[in-house]
Amino acid sequence: MKRYLIPIILLLLLPNLYALEIKVKTDKEFYVAGEMVKVEGKVSEVDKGYAIAIQVRDPDGNIWAIAQTFPEENGNFSSSIATVSPKSPLGEYKVLVSYKGVSTQTSFKVIAKLNLILSKDNLSYGEETVIKIEGIQGYRMITEVSKDKESWIKIKEDDFSYGTYEFSWRPSLVGSYFLRAKVLDKDN
C-alpha cells in the first residue's frame, strides 16, 4: 500500500508545479478622453487555438469593452481595446483577463481632462485674474494654489455642473504661483 501512495501524492502535486500564469497590465495608469487603452501581458504556456479573453468593467461594474486576442509563440499578447470617450465615467476600471480557465486582473483610472485658462498670466501687486476651467460636467471641482508645488491651498471648490466655471482670484503675496484643478470622484 505504501508503494502506491508516493506516486499518487506526486501526481496530485504535479499540476501545481506547472500551473498556468498570466501577467497583465495596461500601458498607462491613467487615461483621459480620446486616449486608447492598451492591454498587454504574457501567459506562461501557449496552446495554439486558445484565445485570451479580455473584459473591461467601468467603475459602476458595467461591461465597458470586450476583446479577444491570441498569444504569440513566446506567450506575449496585447490588444488596443477601446478609446476613452468624453462620456466614459471617471474612476477605476477593472481589466479581467482569462486564458484556458485561469483568470487575473489589473486596473486603470479614467480621469478628467481640464483646460485652465487665465485672463492674465502676469499680474501687478493687487491685481486679480479670472480663472476659467473647462472640462466635463457633473463632478465636483477643487482649484488649488501653491508657491512651491508641495503645499497646496484650496482657493475654490464647486460643482462642475455646466462643464465650465470661472472665478476671480487675487494673489495674497508677491511672487510666482502654481495653479491646479482637480475633479473629485463622484463618491467624494
Side-chain angles (χ1 to χ4, degrees):
M1 173 93 166
K2 289 185 180 180
R3 252 189 272 169
Y4 300 107
L5 191 57
I6 292 173
I8 292 173
I9 291 173
L10 286 176
L11 286 175
L12 291 173
L13 294 175
L14 197 58
N16 292 330
L17 295 176
Y18 298 103
L20 173 67
E21 288 183 37
I22 304 172
K23 294 181 181 175
V24 65
K25 66 179 184 172
T26 54
D27 62 325
K28 294 170 60 174
E29 185 179 350
F30 300 98
Y31 295 89
V32 296
E35 292 184 327
M36 175 66 70
V37 176
K38 184 177 179 183
V39 175
E40 50 195 25
K42 185 170 185 152
V43 295
S44 61
E45 63 181 59
V46 177
D47 282 337
K48 290 191 180 219
Y50 283 91
I52 296 169
I54 303 170
Q55 182 183 90
V56 181
R57 293 191 173 266
D58 71 14
D60 298 322
N62 300 314
I63 294 175
W64 182 73
I66 296 176
Q68 181 176 312
T69 189
F70 290 90
E72 299 171 8
E73 287 182 20
N74 62 5
N76 291 336
F77 66 91
S78 68
S79 178
S80 296
I81 194 155
T83 300
V84 177
S85 83
K87 295 185 179 193
S88 296
L90 299 182
E92 187 172 18
Y93 286 62
K94 301 281 186 206
V95 180
L96 309 166
V97 176
S98 299
Y99 181 65
K100 294 177 58 181
V102 176
S103 297
T104 192
Q105 69 178 29
T106 189
S107 64
F108 63 88
K109 288 188 177 182
V110 171
I111 59 174
K113 183 176 183 177
L114 303 171
N115 294 320
L116 194 139
I117 304 159
L118 302 175
S119 63
K120 285 182 155 186
D121 289 342
N122 295 306
L123 304 173
S124 297
Y125 183 71
E127 284 188 306
E128 67 181 26
T129 187
V130 174
I131 300 172
K132 181 177 182 180
I133 300 173
E134 300 172 335
I136 60 168
Q137 62 187 44
Y139 290 85
R140 192 138 188 89
M141 169 74 64
I142 293 178
T143 308
E144 298 172 318
V145 64
S146 175
K147 289 189 69 67
D148 59 9
K149 287 189 176 179
E150 291 183 25
S151 56
W152 293 88
I153 299 168
K154 180 170 52 174
I155 57 174
K156 178 81 170 171
E157 181 173 348
D158 206 349
D159 288 325
F160 208 42
S161 309
Y162 302 106
T164 185
Y165 80 79
E166 60 184 66
F167 61 95
S168 296
W169 175 70
R170 178 178 289 124
S172 58
L173 300 170
V174 174
S176 296
Y177 288 86
F178 302 95
L179 292 168
R180 72 178 180 189
K182 299 189 299 186
V183 173
L184 299 176
D185 290 340
K186 286 190 174 184
D187 297 335
N188 292 336

